[in-house]
Amino acid sequence: MPDHADHVPSDGAPPRKGLRPRTAELWLFRGIYGLVLASALVAALDVPGEVPDPGEDALWVLLTALASSAAHGYAHVIAQRAVTEGGRRPSRLRAVVAEWPLVAAALPTVCLLLGAVAEWWSEETAADVALLFNTVALLGMGIWAARTAGLRWASSVRAGIMDMLIGVVIIGVYALVE
């Protein structure tokens, strides 16, 4: 992945203050990936006609997020090893731990499913709320990513809506399956 730390937006807007652009890019990438993963999993695990088991579903979402983050981090190590000759190589553990935003983004879905285990609501309600929450979070993260890149508000909202459409597609498929 190229380094965008010195990126200057083409529309002349100054980059947003806060997280360094490269750090924000990585956090947002992993966070958006985690939201999409959690949404797809909760939609796939809530199968009509089967006996609901929100505890097992929460465990699957969490374990899949952990496995995905570990695989993604280790893939970075392997890719870095392939392109560097004797240079500085990232620690395997550091590369895997750096994927924490992917897991963090899946935690609201896990918590909602655990609420169904506690019988605060049904698993179907938990799945519906998780899909809605993740879709709204995709909108927010899309806007944040665009603002971090220095885009103006109108462009940032358009970018957020495009990210949100991923969640809308997952909700649409979920509705068709039900």
Side-chain angles (χ1 to χ4, degrees), residues 28-40 61 65 101-107 109 134:
L28 287 163
F29 170 78
R30 293 165 179 141
I32 289 171
Y33 186 91
L35 287 169
V36 172
L37 178 69
S39 294
V61 171
L102 189 157
V103 177
L107 290 180
T109 299
N134 291 346

Side-chain angles (χ1 to χ4, degrees), residues 9 15 34 36 45 67 69 82 84 88 100 107 116 126 129 141 151 178:
V36 172
L45 291 171
S69 68
T84 59
R88 185 179 161 272
W100 72 266
L107 290 180
V129 173
M141 290 184 85
L151 296 180
E178 288 224 355

